[in-house]
């Protein structure tokens, strides 16, 4: 019969004396199989220590009790515990960052359309400092007696501007500006010539009243006739320029604006999707456990917080530019269109033929609707949310600064304590050696004399107490900073992405409305 195995669950194995007997029986039974026969292939095994087995068995019993307790817990509680443990702040922030990158990708079409990554030469400035000079190339083909279309270079090839469908938004605006400059110069010259014409006519009338000689009258009449002819020619040239401006407005600028509306509609539709997902992601932070965050602020953590604050401030600045620039651009186009639709009239008695003007061009309805839509967007709410988030991060930075100063103060106190403690131990060792030699001499001294050991020890103990107080203050401040930081993120992140989601939805609806305006005009025969 084989010897009994080591089993600490048996009630007979509760005492150390009883453990010895089965231990010996187990050793003596090694080498026999269950049928009592010899088994030469089995080597003797070193039995486990009873204490170790008892500890492992106790751990297993506790785990079993915990598992049974978790099974009896309510289902909602188990789901809540699982949700808390599954939320990770870094994963949430990484997912938010991924959606920002996708938002940026959705804006590439509009960015390319507006040549946002390129420097543009502004035609109001005469200097050329390496910027793209669209206007200079336009001006070289604009002359007094030749039109823009059909110009060829010395190699008898089409100028690149002849391919109007491949021109950019900025190029069309520069062409319009060049023709408007030409029109301005012609109107200015025409007004000066008109004043000169009126002055000559007034002088001719005076000569007639005074009874001037026929030769003088004929000379003045010839001058008046010459000025009148020049004025007629200038007005015809002006009408030609006006016709070209209107053609550029209707056949080039308006289609570019329609393309921009389509691009913006697609962009904001994509923005809606990603900002909605960001809002859904940050709502997970409600179940974030503060205990899972870092225990204290490190230098790297503090630098990252400062970097985040700078990025959010730049975000606020760029968002403000986006809102302001698109409003200013549409407002500028509306103001220009008002002047463009005002006819240039002559006060001369002679009728000068002018080309008919479209009083309600398609671009007018689009720009009016565009201006109204931009004014209704909730951009102030979004700007305020971003600004508030930047202020919250700034507050976190201040708390982190205080925490790091407390840690630095605590470290200085710890160094001082270690230095003085070591100095006290060295002094006390030497003092004991001297004291043992002087015990007989000091026996007759006053018993009330000050004890140098107590004095020095009191200094070390007070320093130790101060270190403990500072360490406790630093620990409490770490907890406060962590709780305030996580609490602020739980509140502010949903606010900012809710505002962005609302703004993106408003923009998407606005540009879909503008798209419907352009489509209705297209059915009415407007250029596209």
């Amino acid at each position: 019969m084989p010897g009994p195995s080591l089993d600490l669950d048996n009630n007979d194995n509760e005492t150390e004396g009883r453990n010895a007997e089965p231990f010996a029986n187990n050793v003596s039974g090694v080498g026999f199989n269950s049928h009592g026969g010899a088994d030469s292939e089995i080597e003797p095994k070193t039995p486990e220590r009873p204490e170790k087995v008892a500890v492992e068995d106790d751990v297993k019993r506790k785990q079993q009790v915990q598992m049974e307790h978790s099974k009896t817990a309510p289902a909602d509680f188990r789901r809540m515990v699982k949700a808390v443990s599954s939320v990770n702040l870094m994963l949430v922030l990484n997912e938010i960052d991924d959606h920002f990158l996708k938002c940026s990708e959705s804006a590439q079409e509009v960015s390319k359309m507006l040549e946002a990554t390129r420097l543009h030469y502004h035609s109001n400035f005469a200097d050329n400092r390496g910027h793209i000079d669209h206007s200079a190339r336009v001006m070289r083909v604009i002359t007094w007696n030749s039109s823009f279309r059909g110009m060829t270079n010395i190699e008898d090839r089409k100028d690149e501007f002849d391919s109007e469908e491949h021109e950019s938004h900025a190029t069309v605006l520069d062409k319009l500006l060049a023709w408007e400059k030409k029109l301005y110069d012609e109107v200015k010259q025409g007004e000066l010539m008109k004043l000169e014409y009126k002055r000559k006519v007034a002088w001719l009338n005076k000569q007639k009243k005074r009874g001037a000689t026929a030769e003088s009258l004929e000379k003045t009449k010839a001058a008046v006739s010459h000025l009148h002819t020049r004025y007629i020619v200038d007005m015809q040239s002006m009408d030609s320029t006006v016709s070209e401006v209107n053609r550029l407005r209707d056949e080039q600028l308006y289609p570019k604006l329609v393309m921009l509306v389509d691009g913006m509609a697609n962009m904001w539709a994509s923005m809606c999707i990603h900002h909605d997902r960001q809002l859904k992601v940050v709502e997970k932070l409600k179940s974030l456990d503060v205990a899972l965050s870092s225990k204290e602020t490190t230098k790297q953590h503090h630098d990252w917080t400062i970097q985040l604050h700078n990025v959010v401030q730049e975000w606020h600045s760029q968002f403000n530019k986006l809102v302001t620039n698109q409003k200013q651009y549409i407002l500028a186009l509306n103001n220009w269109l008002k002047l463009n639709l005002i006819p240039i009239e002559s006060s001369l008695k002679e009728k000068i033929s002018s080309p008919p003007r479209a009083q309600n061009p398609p671009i007018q309805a689009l720009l009016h609707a565009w201006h109204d839509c931009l004014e209704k967007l909730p951009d102030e709410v979004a700007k305020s949310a971003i600004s508030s988030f930047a202020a919250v991060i700034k507050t976190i930075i201040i708390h982190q600064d205080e925490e790091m100063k407390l840690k630095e103060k605590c470290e200085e106190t710890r160094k001082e304590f270690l230095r003085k403690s070591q100095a006290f131990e060295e002094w006390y060792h030497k003092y004991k050696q001297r004291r043992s030699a002087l015990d007989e001499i000091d026996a007759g001294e006053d018993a009330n004399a000050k004890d140098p050991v107590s004095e020095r020890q009191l200094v070390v103990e007070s320093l130790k107490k101060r270190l403990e107080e500072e360490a406790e203050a630093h620990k409490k401040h770490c907890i406060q900073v962590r709780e305030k930081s996580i609490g602020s993120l739980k509140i502010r992140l949903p606010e900012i992405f809710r505002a962005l989601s609302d703004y993106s939805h408003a923009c998407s609806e606005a540009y879909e409305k503008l798209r419907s305006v352009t489509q209705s005009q297209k059915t009415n025969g407007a250029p596209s």
Side-chain angles (χ1 to χ4, degrees), residues 225-403:
S225 177
H226 177 70
L227 288 174
H228 183 267
T229 302
R230 285 185 57 189
Y231 183 76
I232 295 296
V233 173
D234 287 347
M235 288 299 296
Q236 290 175 348
S237 175
M238 189 187 308
D239 288 339
S240 176
T241 303
V242 169
S243 298
E244 182 61 23
V245 169
N246 292 341
R247 188 192 70 81
L248 291 173
R249 178 197 68 195
D250 296 334
E251 297 181 13
Q252 292 195 44
L253 179 59
Y254 176 72
K256 294 297 181 185
L257 292 175
V258 172
M259 290 175 59
L260 182 59
V261 167
D262 288 337
M264 295 289 279
N266 295 333
M267 181 188 78
W268 283 113
S270 179
M271 292 278 190
C272 286
I273 296 174
H274 295 298
H275 286 320
D276 286 346
R277 290 177 180 173
Q278 285 176 325
L279 177 59
K280 188 175 181 180
V281 168
V282 296
E283 287 177 347
K284 297 179 183 178
L285 294 176
K286 294 179 181 179
S287 57
L288 178 64
D289 188 3
V290 180
L292 298 178
S293 59
S294 59
K295 299 300 180 183
E296 64 179 43
T297 302
T298 63
K299 180 65 169 60
Q300 187 181 36
H301 187 189
H302 185 60
D303 292 340
W304 285 345
T305 309
I306 295 175
Q307 183 182 4
L308 176 61
H309 179 257
N310 295 335
V311 169
V312 174
Q313 280 191 317
E314 180 65 17
W315 181 18
H316 180 267
S317 174
Q318 295 299 329
F319 183 81
N320 189 47
K321 288 180 181 179
L322 167 68
V323 173
T324 303
N325 290 342
Q326 64 177 343
K327 285 184 178 180
Q328 289 180 348
Y329 177 53
I330 300 304
L331 179 62
L333 287 179
N334 269 296
N335 292 336
W336 166 78
L337 186 62
K338 290 178 183 178
L339 298 176
N340 174 261
L341 295 178
I342 297 175
I344 301 175
E345 297 180 353
S346 172
S347 60
L348 298 180
K349 294 181 179 180
E350 292 80 358
K351 297 291 184 180
I352 301 175
S353 60
S354 298
R357 293 195 175 197
Q359 293 301 318
N360 297 306
I363 194 174
Q364 186 177 23
L366 175 60
L367 290 178
H368 286 175
W370 204 333
H371 178 268
D372 293 341
C373 288
L374 292 180
E375 291 298 323
K376 295 177 182 178
L377 293 178
D379 50 81
E380 290 299 329
V381 178
K383 285 191 286 187
S384 177
I386 299 175
S387 178
S388 299
F389 185 59
V392 167
I393 299 175
K394 182 64 177 178
T395 304
I396 293 175
I397 292 174
I398 294 174
H399 289 321
Q400 289 179 347
D401 284 333
E402 295 174 355
E403 177 190 338

Side-chain angles (χ1 to χ4, degrees), residues 134 136-138 140-141 148-164 167 171 175:
H134 299 296
R137 292 183 291 173
V138 174
R140 76 170 184 262
V141 296
F148 174 77
R149 297 172 64 85
M151 290 297 297
T152 57
N153 57 20
I154 57 175
E155 297 178 358
D156 197 25
R157 292 183 301 179
K158 281 191 174 183
D159 190 272
E160 58 185 331
F161 281 97
D162 289 337
S163 181
E164 294 180 347
E167 290 177 355
T171 305
K175 286 168 63 176

